[in-house]
């Protein structure tokens, strides 16, 4: 249970040495109680104090890592229920399910799909991070052989799905170095599965579809057996059950500090579903509401791009707008006499303006100014988008070499800047564009 | 420690709104966060409207014109197709042809379209202007009268024209969509202005300004969540109106919904991509507290309907 600052203070050295960057131990204790700092910022706590305080300062949802090397997937470690309160920390990992009874060729194809799943958006590389290998053959030798093969073909993190401890062991022997997630410990097999997770130092999924109370009881048994890195599956497969179980698990962890459910959760939105649209929409529920791992049956590009984008949107920092890099961007194949427009680097502004310039079908140059991620009017009001900055940028980007004409189109909302920019940039003419980007296609076409 | 179901205690609830005449539709009325029926009375009915326009829009994506092509330009036929064939719960008529830059049709011409559409359908009608605050006020004065006592929804009232909207919605018995600029305080402010002008808050539907995946979705999503939380937790009567999500329009104009695979290799097939873009935007806003959704693609409607049935 959470301690107050005063309670925490009792376990600190009380020397007020300041090494934690706080003036007093009490100030540090207060921040720790609010989960704003980590205990290891104080180098002087006694071992005993550490033991007690680590327990209470642990995040309400445990951080669980799956995979090895540069493909470690971090899940959990969430502290709030709503994204406007504070950034959600770890976007849910997407996995592709692969059954071990497919032909080797089909399996290779699916692994290739995962390997080729990377897409870029707003400077981020987005991809399917895991492969979930499913024991459909019922044959331990086949399962472990496929596990080995998949591990060799892809550096994605692995989930091993079999309820049979012998089968799991056979696959772990081949893949333990990759720190796969074991799926799953159930009421029937948990002591053997827990033993395997301990032996091979891997995270473990705990599965019970008998309600969250049964699930939490099972978690207690598994943690009593000494395994701490857990992932939860409540067996929810329909949209309604998924939403309600995921919400209850996350709420119990965060609001009630209920440790037995303080772990990331895994969902299977496509299980028993033949319509890929439905699978993707259910995955969307998981993205919005508290899933940490999402295992998909199909990862066609037309579904991945919207899912990646949704995930990126939900998991952005509400205090830090998404930004694109300051640059001179080409829209279409602009020539030296194509129009030149300027805007700010708030990703929303950029994407809207880019979209409308594309709609105009007029090849153009789009100059994006670093406004620290602020929209046009906000940046102008905050003095992050002003004449000196714009003039400097035009010079920095060597625009006068790339473009013959000397006309700069500025957003209509900042028409007041036009005189000043012309003063800063001798020889240039500022054209005031429309206020709304939606009117850009007409504006550009009329100009051409 | 034993598990107990973590239920929240809420102090407020969302207004229930009833619209239509021949075939009435009810929405809102929930007392807990979206679809969380384990803790109380949750959203149960989410009406899904399909959007039509008074003129042939001319710039709709092939994924849409393949379906609506033959009836575009004939709003009554278009409305009937959406009602009968695609089972829309409501029809949303957007009067884009009244925009000064897009044909500048007169209020009377718009009135004729409204009349034709109303006589072609039984489901309730939503009537939106062209998002030109002055012209919308002029148009709505007339079309609200044409639709008098049909229990329609009219919009979108904004800070600059809400007085006209409020007056005609009251006079002719319509519900009112109140649109503000992606900001919880502005949304509340507009509701206060409307009620202070004598309009019944129970007849307001909030539009927090829709967006779509990759184009500001996170802003709409969080504003909607915050509106819902203040309605339920703080019992703020000025935030207890049902919310509408107008996602078709914002979705189908972006590249990600329209670009073919040839134009954007690596993005997958264009049609399901667009449908999913629209479906996921709609779903996100339902998760954030939406009560009523305006869509364009009938498959998005079917997908969301099936999903909502699972809650
Ligand atoms: C969200 C928001 C914020 C967010 C910032 C989010 C962000 N990343 O920018 C926060 C909360 C941080 C913020 C802060 C402030 N804000 Co503010 N904010 C807004 C709000 C509500 C929306 C802005 C937005 O996201 N717009 C969407 C983007 C896409 O619009 P856009 O960049 O302008 O792009 C459009 C057009 O300009 C055009 N366009 C863009 N580029 C180009 C290029 C060309 C060539 C052309 C032709 C067209 C074009 O196309 C786009 C779509 O049509 C506006 C109100 C409003 N409705 O505009 C106020 C607003 C911009 N903020 C304002 C102010 C004053 C501020 C503050 C200074 C103080 C304050 N009141 O809070 C601070 C300053 C920030 C700082 N760091 O110091 C004022 C500005 C008033 C003015 N005219 O000067 C506004 C208008 C609100 C108001 N009415 O008071 N704000
Ligand atoms: S570093 Fe530790 S001992 Fe020093 S002031 Fe901070 S809390 Fe106290």
């Amino acid at each position: 249970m959470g301690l107050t600052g005063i309670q925490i203070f009792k376990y600190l050295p009380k020397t007020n040495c300041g090494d934690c960057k706080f003036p007093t131990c009490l100030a540090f204790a207060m921040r720790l109680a609010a989960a704003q700092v980590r205990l290891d910022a104080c180098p002087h706590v006694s071992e005993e104090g550490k033991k007690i305080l680590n327990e209470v300062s642990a995040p309400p949802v445990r951080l669980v890592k799956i995979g090895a090397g540069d493909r470690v997937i971090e899940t959990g470690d969430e502290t709030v229920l709503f994204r406007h309160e504070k950034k959600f920390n770890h976007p849910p990992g997407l996995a592709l399910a692969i059954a071990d009874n497919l032909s080797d060729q089909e399996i290779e194809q699916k692994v290739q799909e995962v390997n080729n799943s990377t897409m870029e958006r707003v400077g981020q590389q987005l991809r399917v991070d895991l492969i979930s290998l499913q024991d459909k053959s019922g044959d331990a030798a086949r399962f472990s052989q496929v596990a080995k093969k998949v591990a060799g073909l892809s550096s994605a993190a692995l989930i091993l799905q079999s309820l049979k401890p012998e089968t799991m062991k056979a696959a772990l022997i081949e893949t333990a170095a990759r720190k796969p997630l074991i799926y799953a410990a159930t009421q029937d097999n948990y002591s053997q599965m827990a033993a395997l997770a301990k032996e091979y130092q891997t995270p473990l999924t705990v599965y019970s579809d008998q309600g969250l109370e049964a699930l939490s009881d099972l978690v207690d048994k598994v943690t009593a057996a000494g395994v701490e890195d857990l992932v939860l599956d409540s067996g929810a497969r329909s949209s309604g059950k998924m939403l309600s179980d995921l919400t209850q698990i996350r709420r119990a962890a965060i609001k009630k500090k209920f440790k037995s459910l303080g772990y990331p959760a895994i969902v299977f939105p496509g299980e028993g579903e033949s319509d890929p649209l439905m699978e993707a929409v259910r995955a969307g529920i998981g993205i919005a509401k508290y899933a940490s791992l999402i295992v998909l049956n199909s990862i066609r590009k037309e579904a991945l791009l919207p899912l990646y984008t949704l995930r990126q949107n939900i998991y952005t920092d509400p205090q830090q707008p998404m930004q694109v890099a300051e640059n001179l961007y080409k829209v279409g194949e602009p020539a030296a006499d194509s129009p030149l427009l300027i805007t700010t680097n708030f990703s929303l502004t950029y994407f809207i303006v880019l979209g409308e310039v594309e709609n105009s079908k007029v090849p153009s140059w789009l100059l994006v100014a670093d406004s620290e991620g602020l929209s046009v009017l906000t940046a102008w009001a905050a003095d992050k988008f002003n004449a000196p900055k714009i003039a400097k940028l035009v010079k920095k980007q060597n625009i006068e070499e790339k473009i013959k004409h000397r006309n700069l189109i500025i957003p209509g909302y900042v028409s007041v800047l036009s005189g000043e920019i012309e003063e800063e940039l001798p020889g240039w003419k500022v054209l005031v564009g429309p206020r709304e980007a939606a009117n850009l296609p007409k504006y550009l076409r009329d100009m051409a | 420690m034993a598990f107990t179901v973590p239920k929240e205690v809420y102090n407020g609830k969302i207004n229930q709104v009833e619209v239509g005449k021949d075939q009435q539709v009810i929405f809102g009325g929930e007392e807990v966060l979206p679809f969380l029926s384990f803790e109380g009375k949750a959203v149960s009915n989410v009406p899904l409207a399909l959007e039509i326009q008074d003129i042939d829009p001319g710039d709709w994506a092939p994924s849409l014109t393949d379906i609506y092509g033959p009836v575009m330009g004939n709003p009554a036929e278009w409305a009937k197709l959406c009602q009968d064939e695609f089972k829309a719960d409501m029809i949303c008529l957007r009067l884009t042809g009244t925009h000064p830059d897009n044909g500048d049709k007169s209020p009377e011409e718009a009135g004729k379209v409204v009349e034709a559409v109303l006589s072609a359908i039984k489901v309730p009608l939503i009537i939106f202007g062209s998002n030109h605050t002055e012209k919308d006020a002029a148009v709505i004065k007339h079309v609200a009268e044409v639709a008098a006592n049909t229990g329609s929804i009219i919009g979108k009232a904004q800070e600059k024209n809400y007085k006209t909207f409020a007056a005609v919605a009251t006079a002719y018995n319509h519900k009112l969509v109140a649109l503000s600029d992606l900001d919880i305080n502005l949304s509340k402010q507009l509701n206060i202005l409307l009620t202070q002008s004598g309009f019944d808050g129970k007849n307001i539907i909030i539009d927090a300004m829709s967006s779509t995946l990759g184009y500001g979705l996170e802003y709409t999503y969080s504003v909607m969540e915050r509106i819902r939380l203040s309605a339920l937790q703080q019992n703020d009567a000025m935030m207890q109106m049902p919310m509408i999500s107008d996602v078709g329009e914002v979705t189908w104009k972006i590249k990600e919904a329209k670009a073919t695979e040839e134009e954007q290799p690596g993005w997958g097939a264009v049609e399901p991509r667009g449908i999913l873009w629209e479906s996921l935007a709609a779903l996100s806003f339902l998760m954030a507290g939406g009560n009523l959704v305006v869509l364009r693609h009938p498959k998005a409607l079917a997908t969301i309907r099936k999903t909502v049935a699972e809650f």
Side-chain angles (χ1 to χ4, degrees):
Chain A
M1 297 305 300
L3 295 187
T4 64
I6 303 291
Q7 287 166 321
I8 291 173
F9 177 63
K10 286 187 198 144
Y11 298 99
L12 295 176
K14 305 192 189 70
T15 55
N16 300 336
C17 75
D19 289 350
C20 58
K21 307 261 187 315
F22 290 94
T24 62
C25 294
L26 184 61
F28 180 71
M30 290 304 186
R31 292 304 178 98
L32 197 59
Q36 288 164 341
V37 290
R38 286 182 182 271
L39 181 61
D40 44 22
C42 168
H44 312 295
V45 204
S46 69
E47 282 308 310
E48 192 215 338
K50 245 186 225 164
K51 202 165 160 260
I52 295 165
L53 292 176
N54 261 329
E55 186 99 326
V56 297
S57 67
V61 179
R62 189 179 172 86
L63 174 68
V64 175
K65 298 180 184 179
I66 304 163
D70 61 349
R71 294 297 297 268
V72 176
I73 302 304
E74 297 194 338
T75 65
D77 191 22
E78 300 296 348
T79 55
V80 295
L81 288 164
F82 299 101
R83 65 175 295 286
H84 61 261
E85 299 174 61
K86 194 168 161 288
K87 183 180 191 293
F88 288 159
N89 290 326
H90 296 294
L94 299 176
L96 175 64
I98 301 182
D100 71 343
N101 62 352
L102 296 175
S103 74
D104 283 11
Q105 199 196 344
E106 285 169 309
I107 290 172
E108 277 162 34
Q109 258 170 24
K110 291 204 165 226
V111 174
Q112 280 318 314
E113 264 186 82
V114 173
N115 291 347
N116 296 332
S117 64
T118 304
M119 297 188 196
E120 201 217 277
R121 206 181 158 85
V122 205
Q124 292 180 7
Q125 299 291 319
L126 307 162
R127 67 184 164 206
V128 173
D129 316 274
L130 308 100
I131 291 173
S132 196
L133 183 61
Q134 304 186 321
D135 170 17
K136 290 275 162 81
S137 67
D139 173 0
R142 171 71 184 162
F143 188 70
S144 77
Q145 178 212 334
V146 176
K148 185 178 175 189
K149 181 185 174 75
V150 168
L153 289 172
S154 175
S155 54
L158 299 173
I159 303 172
L160 300 174
Q161 281 187 259
S162 175
L163 300 183
K164 293 192 198 136
E166 328 72 81
T167 304
M168 189 58 66
K169 187 175 173 94
L172 282 170
I173 290 171
E174 300 294 347
T175 61
R178 295 282 289 275
K179 296 271 177 264
L181 170 65
I182 299 180
Y183 181 101
T186 66
Q187 187 55 41
D188 299 328
N189 69 11
Y190 71 87
S191 52
Q192 291 121 298
M193 287 295 191
L196 287 173
K198 261 179 97 168
E199 183 181 348
Y200 292 99
Q201 298 285 305
T202 65
L204 173 64
T205 312
V206 180
Y207 172 92
S208 169
D209 63 357
Q210 302 298 305
L212 296 181
E213 179 158 10
L215 181 62
S216 69
D217 287 347
L218 192 54
V219 165
D220 291 345
K221 290 177 186 161
V222 171
T223 47
V227 183
E228 291 285 351
D229 285 333
L230 304 180
V231 169
L232 308 177
D233 182 5
S234 71
R237 297 297 181 262
S238 77
S239 302
K241 192 88 174 77
M242 254 177 59
L243 176 66
S244 115
D245 282 2
L246 290 170
T247 303
Q248 290 186 37
I249 289 171
R250 183 63 57 88
R251 255 197 213 164
I254 288 178
K255 297 201 77 170
K256 309 258 164 153
K257 305 273 184 282
F258 184 62
K259 280 199 69 180
S260 311
L261 292 180
Y263 300 94
I266 187 170
V267 293
F268 296 83
E271 212 170 270
E273 177 61 62
S274 55
D275 181 355
L277 278 177
M278 283 302 291
E279 170 174 48
V281 170
R282 284 202 203 108
I285 297 171
I287 289 172
K289 293 292 169 190
Y290 317 132
S292 292
L293 291 167
I294 300 176
V295 182
L296 300 165
N297 287 335
S298 79
I299 52 165
R300 303 180 65 104
K301 298 268 178 171
E302 60 261 25
L304 279 185
L305 187 61
L307 287 175
Y308 288 158
T309 309
L310 177 62
R311 183 176 66 171
Q312 198 175 38
N313 287 167
I314 298 288
Y315 278 78
T316 51
D317 188 338
Q319 258 88 51
Q320 270 214 328
M322 275 201 277
Q323 310 182 15
V324 294
E326 177 172 282
N327 210 341
L328 179 66
Y329 292 90
K330 290 181 177 179
V331 190
E333 293 295 335
D337 57 353
S338 301
L340 169 68
L341 306 94
I342 187 163
T343 189
T344 69
N345 79 332
F346 178 31
S347 76
L348 181 56
T349 301
Y350 167 77
F351 275 110
I352 292 175
V353 173
L354 176 71
E356 296 295 356
V357 177
E358 281 174 345
N359 279 345
S360 77
K361 303 260 187 316
V362 178
S364 304
W365 300 94
L366 182 57
L367 182 58
V368 173
D370 182 357
S371 63
E372 297 173 24
L374 295 179
S375 76
V376 169
L377 268 181
T378 318
W380 177 76
D383 208 25
K384 303 265 155 63
F385 188 60
N386 54 29
K389 262 192 129 166
I390 293 170
K392 227 168 111 189
L393 180 64
V394 168
K395 288 176 193 145
K396 198 168 97 190
Q397 293 286 336
N398 290 328
I399 285 171
E400 306 201 335
E401 285 164 29
K402 289 176 197 149
I403 297 169
K404 275 201 322 241
H405 65 78
R406 294 288 174 265
N407 296 324
L408 177 63
I409 305 171
I410 64 168
Y413 281 113
V414 291
S415 55
V416 291
L417 287 177
S418 61
E420 250 185 281
I421 298 175
E422 287 181 353
E423 268 172 44
E424 300 266 346
L425 281 176
W428 280 77
K429 190 165 180 281
V430 170
L431 307 176
V432 176
R435 295 180 149 214
E436 293 302 325
N439 299 324
L440 263 172
K442 187 173 181 304
Y443 177 84
L444 288 173
R445 272 186 240 127
D446 289 352
M447 224 173 79
Chain B
M1 200 168 78
F3 172 76
T4 48
V5 176
K7 291 185 191 173
E8 293 286 326
V9 181
Y10 301 107
N11 308 307
K13 59 180 178 187
I14 307 309
N15 303 337
Q16 182 162 306
V17 173
E18 207 176 299
V19 296
K21 200 173 105 198
D22 298 338
Q23 216 167 296
Q24 291 202 319
V25 170
I26 297 176
F27 53 91
E30 71 267 25
E31 298 173 7
V32 299
L33 286 177
F35 306 109
L36 299 185
S37 43
F38 69 85
E39 56 183 358
K41 185 171 177 242
V43 175
S44 54
N45 190 31
V46 179
L48 305 174
L50 284 177
E51 175 183 342
I52 66 169
Q53 298 193 351
D54 58 334
I55 53 169
D56 182 343
D59 60 352
W60 279 25
S63 302
L64 297 167
T65 53
D66 286 353
I67 299 167
Y68 299 122
V71 293
M72 287 172 134
N74 185 339
E77 287 295 312
W78 191 351
K80 239 178 120 41
L81 179 74
C82 291
Q83 172 191 273
D84 298 343
E85 190 72 24
F86 303 130
K87 310 284 180 242
D89 299 311
M90 294 189 196
I91 303 299
C92 175
L93 170 63
R94 201 184 303 274
L95 298 166
T96 42
T98 61
H99 196 284
D101 298 339
N102 196 29
D104 204 14
K105 290 208 181 312
S106 68
E108 289 69 31
E109 286 170 285
K112 291 213 177 76
V113 173
V114 169
E115 202 176 346
V117 170
L118 276 170
S119 56
I121 58 169
K122 288 197 154 55
V123 295
L125 183 64
I126 304 170
I127 309 170
F128 286 155
S130 62
N131 201 22
H132 183 285
T133 45
E134 280 162 48
K135 184 68 187 281
D136 284 359
V139 169
I140 209 66
K141 257 194 217 164
H142 180 66
V143 300
E145 184 179 356
V146 170
N149 300 315
T150 53
S152 298
I153 297 173
I154 63 172
K156 299 175 178 181
Q158 307 186 40
E159 203 189 317
K160 286 196 186 123
N161 61 15
Y162 73 92
K163 284 190 180 140
T164 310
F165 271 89
V168 298
T170 307
Y172 304 112
N173 278 318
H174 300 301
K175 313 294 175 198
L176 191 56
V177 170
L179 170 71
S180 50
D181 236 6
L182 260 189
D183 182 310
I184 183 171
N185 298 315
L186 293 178
S187 172
K188 182 169 169 174
Q189 173 71 11
L190 183 54
N191 292 340
I192 292 173
L193 289 173
L194 280 165
T195 45
Q196 280 176 350
S197 80
F199 192 73
D200 184 352
K202 296 260 182 316
N203 291 331
I204 298 175
I205 299 160
I206 294 175
D207 185 338
M209 183 165 282
S210 287
S211 51
T212 194
L213 314 178
Y215 292 82
L217 176 124
E218 67 272 35
Y219 291 89
T220 307
Y221 182 91
S222 284
V223 170
M224 289 177 75
E225 273 198 331
R226 291 175 59 200
I227 290 177
R228 261 312 145 260
L229 287 168
S230 58
L232 295 171
Q233 290 178 342
Q234 276 101 52
N235 195 16
D236 185 341
M238 285 302 114
M239 300 266 76
Q240 287 171 339
M241 297 75 181
M243 292 192 280
I244 188 169
S245 288
D246 191 4
V247 297
E249 184 185 39
V250 282
T251 300
W252 287 99
K253 72 175 179 204
I254 64 160
K255 178 169 71 178
E256 287 79 352
K258 288 195 304 197
T260 62
E261 222 173 339
E262 290 72 53
E263 291 164 332
Q264 290 289 336
W267 279 13
V270 58
E271 200 204 14
R273 181 176 357 109
I275 295 169
L276 205 45
W277 217 277
E278 186 174 38
S279 304
L280 281 170
L283 171 94
S284 309
F285 298 140
L286 290 179
M287 294 288 99
N291 297 84
L292 166 63
V293 186
V294 181
L295 299 157
R296 283 189 179 172
H297 203 293
K299 276 199 188 143
L301 180 138
T303 306
I304 293 299
R305 180 169 285 155
K306 209 168 140 193
T307 307
V308 169
E310 284 185 5
F311 284 118

